[in-house]
Amino acid sequence: MSPTAQDRRRPMLHETRCESCSLSSLCLPLSLETADLERFDSIIRRHPPIKKGTRLVEQGDRFTSVFAVRSGSLKQITTEGSGEAQLTNFFLPSELVGLDGIDDGRYPGSVVALETTTVCEIPFDRLDALTQTLPELRAQLFRTLSKELREDRRMMQLLSRKTADQRLACFFLGLSDRFRRRGYSPFSFRLSMSRADIGNHLGLAVETVSRILGRFQQQDLVAVSGREVNILDLTALSTLADTEVT
Amino acid sequence: MSPTAQDRRRPMLHETRCESCSLSSLCLPLSLETADLERFDSIIRRHPPIKKGTRLVEQGDRFTSVFAVRSGSLKQITTEGSGEAQLTNFFLPSELVGLDGIDDGRYPGSVVALETTTVCEIPFDRLDALTQTLPELRAQLFRTLSKELREDRRMMQLLSRKTADQRLACFFLGLSDRFRRRGYSPFSFRLSMSRADIGNHLGLAVETVSRILGRFQQQDLVAVSGREVNILDLTALSTLADTEVT
DNA sequence: CGTACGTTTGATTGGAGTCAAGTAAAGTGG
DNA sequence: CCACTTTACTTGACTCCAATCAAACGTACG
């Protein structure tokens, strides 16, 4: 979808320029000069909001673009062989979706909106072309990829060495941190994902997630009401999260 | 995995040019013209062989270079917080070590030789600079990063959804495939890592690895003698590896 | 207002971890 | 080259965390 008259008319116009986007310091164009930012801005395709449950990309679709999340949240689900679906990632505003599709030209998982979500589509060939003349942009892209690698490795550590309680603790700490970085309260937030999603992501059964949430509440670590979360004791959660298992 | 007779006989100098490297079709300079290959070649630093147990990089060291494995093998170990060490990766010839250090300028894990190993050091700033004028090289680097992401996600699926038996089966299939791609037998190879390493990587106790190996032998799936492996029934292993768990 | 879906809680089970002990293999130094 | 030490691997017995099965309860939404 290219910028159209419809786009222009909308008061959204301000919103949809990188220059004025509140996420610009977190998103890709981090360290670009105004002129460069314009060039970056010009390759981006705005999208109308995606409704909850709608798929942004389908597993196996041809890879063409990466997407920057502007608002809302998404989950990535990969189904392999006859194996059950695996929820590999949650995406929050400013995060980049689809980088794992570069290699073989197909998206390796479906990406589904967890709530009404808006994204910026960035055609990868044009992004790649821009990195040729904008070293800072290139560096930022490498960093983003590299960071995702590092986070994946943390996830592996979580899945292979941590108990169910520690996994949940890590999950809350991770979310808390991501919200804080985005300027939201690190203590009080709303989960956009179901217990089943959390369980799938952490390698736990739904029932286990529910039980441990209950236990955390009894211990006054968090207060959970439906999908509303209040972190009461961040320190205790942190301790729990990376205490050696013996 | 062992050095061929040809390797030994040849003077080092010849060996160490990308142009004549037997891995050139798998390593980075995949699709470079001769002239470009020379430019790539010129930034590479050769290293004397690394002995078994020696660390190529130490966790926390300043990130400066990535390393292409020429021969031998390595493991990457990350120690987080007070948590136990996690073996996140094994590296075989033609694979690239260190890409996860780009983001925060530090290597996120130590990389240790599992046997006598030779690597090519590629200073990242120079590699990055080269990608400015060599779009194919840039594309290849993006692909490599992206592929690693995809493999990490597979690993997560393995760690969170597969049984111990399936993990071992996947591990053997993965190795088999990697050897085949490198021109070695996919059925008969030598493990350069210990049972403990395998267990750590797959999120299993050493004892479990040992027991399942025994079971696999009874079922005539593989013949294992020490670190020597013969895959007897690849099909059965494949079936086992991605059969839904019920 | 009812149906479907998401969540909680309880009872039971099993897969893999832990502990323990023994065997094989690989270094090490005389 | 052989005794000795150390490390790697195997095997068995027992335990426990989290999965599974089952059922009730809440909540969202057409």
Side-chain angles (χ1 to χ4, degrees):
Chain A
M1 187 185 287
S2 50
T4 61
Q6 190 190 18
D7 283 324
R8 283 180 216 290
R9 264 204 317 276
R10 295 206 163 178
M12 250 198 163
L13 188 61
H14 260 182
E15 285 274 62
T16 56
R17 311 216 59 226
C18 288
E19 200 183 351
S20 61
C21 175
S22 60
L23 297 172
S24 64
S25 63
L26 293 163
C27 176
L28 262 184
L30 183 58
S31 37
L32 301 183
E33 302 294 320
T34 311
D36 295 341
L37 192 55
E38 300 249 323
R39 296 176 59 196
F40 178 81
D41 190 83
S42 73
I43 71 168
I44 289 186
R45 297 193 206 142
R46 323 295 169 185
H47 272 251
I50 305 165
K51 284 199 194 106
K52 178 176 174 173
T54 306
R55 307 206 156 192
L56 175 62
V57 309
E58 190 79 34
Q59 178 166 0
D61 278 358
R62 256 175 64 75
F63 169 81
T64 54
S65 305
V66 297
F67 301 87
V69 184
R70 284 183 52 74
S71 68
S73 54
L74 309 114
K75 62 178 174 183
Q76 177 169 31
I77 302 168
T78 303
T79 314
E80 249 183 68
S82 45
E84 206 182 327
Q86 166 76 9
L87 202 164
T88 50
N89 242 329
F90 293 114
F91 294 101
L92 297 189
S94 88
E95 294 175 340
L96 231 43
V97 178
L99 288 169
D100 46 8
I102 298 174
D103 175 45
D104 71 350
R106 309 245 157 221
Y107 293 107
S110 297
V111 179
V112 185
L114 291 169
E115 59 196 311
T116 302
T117 296
T118 55
V119 299
C120 297
E121 178 174 359
I122 311 171
F124 186 74
D125 53 353
R126 306 198 61 183
L127 177 60
D128 177 54
L130 261 191
T131 66
Q132 179 133 6
T133 50
L134 301 178
E136 269 304 336
L137 181 63
R138 189 173 65 238
Q140 179 82 10
L141 192 49
F142 280 139
R143 273 198 298 271
T144 304
L145 278 154
S146 171
K147 188 178 179 188
E148 229 177 300
L149 278 182
R150 234 169 358 103
E151 274 158 14
D152 286 355
R153 310 279 153 92
R154 283 194 71 179
M155 197 64 199
M156 289 183 204
Q157 143 101 10
L158 180 146
L159 290 172
S160 76
R161 311 229 86 81
K162 289 190 190 287
T163 65
D165 294 62
Q166 293 180 306
R167 294 184 200 190
L168 254 305
C170 284
F171 178 69
F172 280 132
L173 289 170
L175 274 186
S176 169
D177 196 54
R178 281 154 92 181
F179 284 125
R180 186 164 44 69
R181 283 179 204 279
R182 279 163 193 79
Y184 298 107
S185 165
F187 300 113
S188 180
F189 47 85
R190 184 165 211 292
L191 301 172
S192 57
M193 66 293 285
S194 68
R195 304 283 193 267
D197 285 337
I198 298 174
N200 188 322
H201 185 52
L202 300 177
L204 300 172
V206 200
E207 296 93 324
T208 306
V209 174
S210 188
R211 265 186 266 272
I212 291 173
L213 249 47
R215 210 181 304 155
F216 278 4
Q217 272 196 109
Q218 285 186 340
Q219 302 171 254
D220 287 324
L221 297 174
V222 294
V224 183
S225 166
R227 296 192 171 183
E228 218 59 56
V229 175
N230 266 66
I231 295 186
L232 303 176
D233 193 341
L234 200 78
T235 318
L237 268 185
S238 305
T239 310
L240 171 57
D242 56 54
T243 294
E244 175 101 28
V245 203
T246 9
Chain B
M1 212 179 271
S2 49
T4 64
Q6 192 188 21
D7 281 333
R8 285 184 205 288
R9 265 204 313 276
R10 291 195 149 202
M12 211 49 179
L13 190 61
H14 261 177
E15 284 274 63
T16 55
R17 311 218 58 225
C18 289
E19 200 182 351
S20 60
C21 175
S22 59
L23 298 171
S24 64
S25 62
L26 293 163
C27 176
L28 262 184
L30 183 59
S31 38
L32 300 183
E33 302 294 320
T34 311
D36 294 342
L37 191 56
E38 301 249 324
R39 295 176 59 196
F40 178 80
D41 190 83
S42 74
I43 71 168
I44 290 186
R45 296 195 208 137
R46 323 297 169 184
H47 272 251
I50 304 165
K51 286 201 193 102
K52 178 175 175 175
T54 307
R55 307 204 156 191
L56 176 61
V57 309
E58 190 80 34
Q59 179 166 1
D61 277 359
R62 257 176 63 75
F63 169 82
T64 54
S65 305
V66 297
F67 301 86
V69 184
R70 284 183 50 74
S71 68
S73 54
L74 308 114
K75 62 178 174 183
Q76 177 169 31
I77 303 167
T78 304
T79 315
E80 248 181 66
S82 46
E84 208 182 327
Q86 166 77 8
L87 202 164
T88 50
N89 242 327
F90 292 113
F91 294 103
L92 298 189
S94 88
E95 293 175 342
L96 230 43
V97 177
L99 289 168
D100 46 7
I102 298 174
D103 175 45
D104 72 349
R106 307 245 158 221
Y107 295 107
S110 298
V111 179
V112 186
L114 292 169
E115 59 196 310
T116 301
T117 295
T118 56
V119 299
C120 297
E121 178 173 359
I122 312 171
F124 187 73
D125 53 352
R126 306 199 61 183
L127 177 60
D128 177 53
L130 259 191
T131 67
Q132 178 131 7
T133 49
L134 301 178
E136 270 303 336
L137 180 64
R138 188 172 65 239
Q140 179 82 13
L141 192 48
F142 281 138
R143 273 198 298 272
T144 304
L145 278 154
S146 172
K147 188 177 180 191
E148 229 177 302
L149 278 181
R150 236 172 354 107
E151 275 159 14
D152 285 356
R153 309 280 152 92
R154 283 195 71 181
M155 197 66 200
M156 289 183 204
Q157 144 100 10
L158 179 146
L159 291 172
S160 77
R161 311 229 86 80
K162 288 190 190 290
T163 64
D165 294 63
Q166 294 180 304
R167 294 183 200 189
L168 254 305
C170 286
F171 178 69
F172 280 132
L173 290 171
L175 274 186
S176 169
D177 197 52
R178 283 155 91 183
F179 284 125
R180 187 165 44 67
R181 284 180 203 278
R182 281 166 190 77
Y184 297 108
S185 166
F187 300 112
S188 180
F189 46 84
R190 182 163 212 291
L191 302 172
S192 59
M193 67 291 285
S194 68
R195 304 284 193 269
D197 286 336
I198 298 174
N200 188 323
H201 185 53
L202 299 177
L204 300 172
V206 200
E207 296 93 325
T208 307
V209 174
S210 189
R211 267 186 266 271
I212 292 172
L213 249 48
R215 212 181 303 154
F216 278 5
Q217 271 196 106
Q218 285 186 342
Q219 301 171 256
D220 288 323
L221 297 174
V222 293
V224 183
S225 166
R227 297 192 171 182
E228 219 60 54
V229 174
N230 267 65
I231 294 186
L232 302 177
D233 193 341
L234 201 78
T235 318
L237 267 185
S238 303
T239 311
L240 171 57
D242 56 51
T243 295
E244 177 100 26
V245 203
T246 15

